[in-house]
Amino acid sequence: MPFYHAHVRPGLLDLDGRAAFSGDVVDIHCGVTGAPPSFVHLYVTEDSSGSLPDGVNGAINGTIRFGRTGEQKAEICDRMAAALAGHGGVEASTITAATRDVQASFTMEGGVLLPEPGSAEEEAWKAAG
């Protein structure tokens, strides 16, 4: 369910950099939220149209389940911005990152509507595998 879109300056990430950043996105999201790795999705696009503002080398936007704390969301954004900056060889201050919440019941993974984070339904869902 979590879907991240990284929009970057052309040439910021080569294929190895994209692969490494993808691994970081999975590790960060799962480490902060406890989500299964197979649920995390990343889409990387290059800014061929010049839509990124001057001084911004990349923008990461994540859609995540409602119910995460402000601290969790801040940690996700900070760590992903640092990871993208590191792989791109730029300052973290030139990367923006944000998340937006969606209700779990509005999302589906593997043909099943997702339970709300921290709910009894989520615990039963996790136990069922």
Side-chain angles (χ1 to χ4, degrees), residues 76-119:
I76 287 169
C77 289
D78 290 347
R79 290 178 61 192
M80 286 194 188
L84 180 56
H87 293 298
V90 298
E91 294 294 320
S93 62
T94 68
I95 306 295
T96 65
T99 61
R100 79 180 138 271
D101 298 336
V102 293
Q103 295 290 8
S105 62
F106 294 176
T107 60
M108 186 177 276
E109 192 71 45
V112 177
L113 289 175
L114 296 179
E116 298 298 331
S119 67

Side-chain angles (χ1 to χ4, degrees), residues 21-37:
F21 178 62
S22 295
D24 289 344
V25 168
V26 172
D27 291 345
I28 292 165
H29 185 88
C30 296
V32 172
T33 68

